[in-house]
Amino acid sequence: MSILTPRDVPLGGLRAMTVRRTLPNRQRSTIGAWCFVDHYGPDEVELSGGMNLGPHPHTGLQTVTWLFQGEVEHRDSVGSVQLVEPGQVNLMTAGTGIAHAEHSTGRVPVMHGVQLWVALADKDRHIPPFFEHHIAPRATIGDAQLIVFVGSLTGDTGTVTAATTTFTPLLGAEITAPAGSTFTIPVNTIFEHGILVDSGSVEVNGELAEKDQLAYVEPGIDSLTLTIGDEPARLLLLGGTPFEEELVMWWNFIGRSHDEIVEFRNQWQEDVVLEGNPEGIFGSVEHGGSVIPAPEMPHVQLRPRKLPRP
């Protein structure tokens, strides 16, 4: 087991929203196919400006928007317009390419949640893009309350399964538990897991993880015993089978080579930013704001991220 600590990353231009990023990390690139974890808030929208991300592209991944507090409007280039609130999940599959925009509405004064990415395997990453919105099912284990937004978990009254579409075995769940409680979650032995601490602290199989840290647990165990500290805790449980493919991740793209990323960038700039081809792979988003241009490519060859090893 290991503990990953986040780094602060500004998003969104002049009124940047600061997020705490625990994946990718120098120690690990993925947990299962989860390849990106941005944790933000609680932020007062009036002071921070909230979430204000204009149209931007994605390839080769799925985005998962999960809120603890707040309200976000999603718009994308396949025509989806969808509000998401706590207890609901927005899952967008980019496949060959998609563009989307996300904005906090301002009707709820606090923004607090996570933005997650799932890497698509090579056999799946060329599918057409699509979007889903679901209400996540709930379960209890002892005094803990669980909301399962990806995959399945077995609770006191049976197994609950999220309706979201995934392409590799995955798990995603929010857990809230009172101070001083201890409970054991049965898990898949072939999964590796990460437990992100949003509030409070937790001992995971005897090792302490504190606020904003992510505890990584190797495959090979059939349960996680969680002991909450002196304050109530909110946790995010992520899991999946180890992802065995090397990835090239840059900006909002996931590919397999430097040249592929260059081509994605060129298509975004020429087709969308310069308005050269509204019928290109990224399409267009019905949105009043400006699209986000891609940054300049680095002056070095992009290399695949090293495969994570337990």
Side-chain angles (χ1 to χ4, degrees):
M1 182 169 158
S2 57
I3 301 295
L4 309 182
T5 56
R7 66 187 190 278
D8 288 346
V9 178
L11 299 180
L14 292 176
R15 293 191 71 185
M17 173 183 178
T18 298
V19 301
R20 302 177 293 281
R21 183 167 297 167
T22 45
L23 278 185
N25 188 291
R26 288 184 179 181
Q27 294 171 259
R28 298 200 63 77
S29 296
T30 57
I31 294 175
W34 299 103
C35 63
F36 187 90
V37 176
D38 273 2
H39 179 204
Y40 55 87
D43 295 326
E44 294 186 29
V45 173
E46 186 175 342
L47 299 178
S48 68
M51 182 179 292
N52 185 25
L53 298 175
H56 56 281
H58 289 293
T59 60
L61 56 87
Q62 296 178 289
T63 66
V64 178
T65 300
W66 184 255
L67 296 177
F68 303 133
Q69 294 174 271
E71 183 181 65
V72 170
E73 182 186 80
H74 164 100
R75 292 176 178 263
D76 64 38
S77 55
V78 298
S80 312
V81 179
Q82 180 65 59
L83 289 176
V84 63
E85 300 173 339
Q88 305 170 358
V89 59
N90 276 2
L91 186 146
M92 184 182 75
T93 300
T96 54
I98 197 169
H100 75 137
E102 289 186 300
H103 292 271
S104 47
T105 64
R107 290 192 292 258
V108 181
V110 174
M111 280 295 299
H112 186 191
V114 288
Q115 185 67 50
L116 309 164
W117 291 2
V118 176
L120 292 174
D122 192 58
K123 66 181 179 61
D124 303 312
R125 68 189 183 102
H126 303 289
I127 63 174
F130 63 95
F131 175 81
E132 302 172 55
H133 172 84
H134 300 287
I135 296 174
R138 296 171 181 261
T140 60
I141 297 178
D143 292 329
Q145 305 294 315
L146 296 87
I147 313 176
V148 182
F149 55 88
V150 171
S152 297
L153 265 182
T154 299
D156 291 343
T157 58
T159 300
V160 296
T161 300
T164 40
T165 302
T166 57
F167 296 86
T168 53
L170 284 176
L171 170 64
E174 176 186 326
I175 302 169
T176 53
S181 59
T182 296
F183 51 98
T184 298
I185 301 175
V187 294
N188 192 325
T189 58
I190 66 172
F191 278 20
E192 54 188 355
H193 292 89
I195 299 92
L196 177 69
V197 182
D198 173 63
S199 61
S201 63
V202 61
E203 286 188 9
V204 182
N205 290 355
E207 186 157 343
L208 179 65
E210 299 183 305
K211 185 177 176 349
D212 298 331
Q213 294 181 331
L214 190 153
Y216 169 75
V217 183
E218 296 86 352
I221 61 171
D222 61 7
S223 64
L224 296 169
T225 297
L226 306 184
T227 300
I228 306 303
D230 295 336
E231 299 177 2
R234 174 159 40 208
L235 316 170
L236 199 73
L237 172 61
L238 303 175
T241 53
F243 195 80
E244 300 294 344
E245 298 179 20
E246 291 189 333
L247 303 172
V248 178
M249 294 177 60
W250 181 81
W251 195 42
N252 296 315
F253 305 127
I254 293 183
R256 296 300 186 273
S257 70
H258 176 93
D259 290 343
E260 194 172 47
I261 297 295
V262 169
E263 180 58 26
F264 292 151
R265 182 192 182 278
N266 288 344
Q267 286 181 283
W268 175 251
Q269 289 297 110
E270 294 168 9
D271 294 352
V272 181
V273 177
L274 299 178
E275 302 180 347
N277 180 17
E279 304 302 320
I281 66 169
F282 297 112
S284 59
V285 181
E286 291 189 10
H287 178 271
S290 301
V291 300
I292 298 176
E296 294 296 325
M297 289 292 298
H299 298 296
V300 295
Q301 189 85 359
L302 296 174
R303 302 290 184 187
R305 294 183 180 274
K306 292 181 180 180
L307 288 173
R309 301 298 182 196

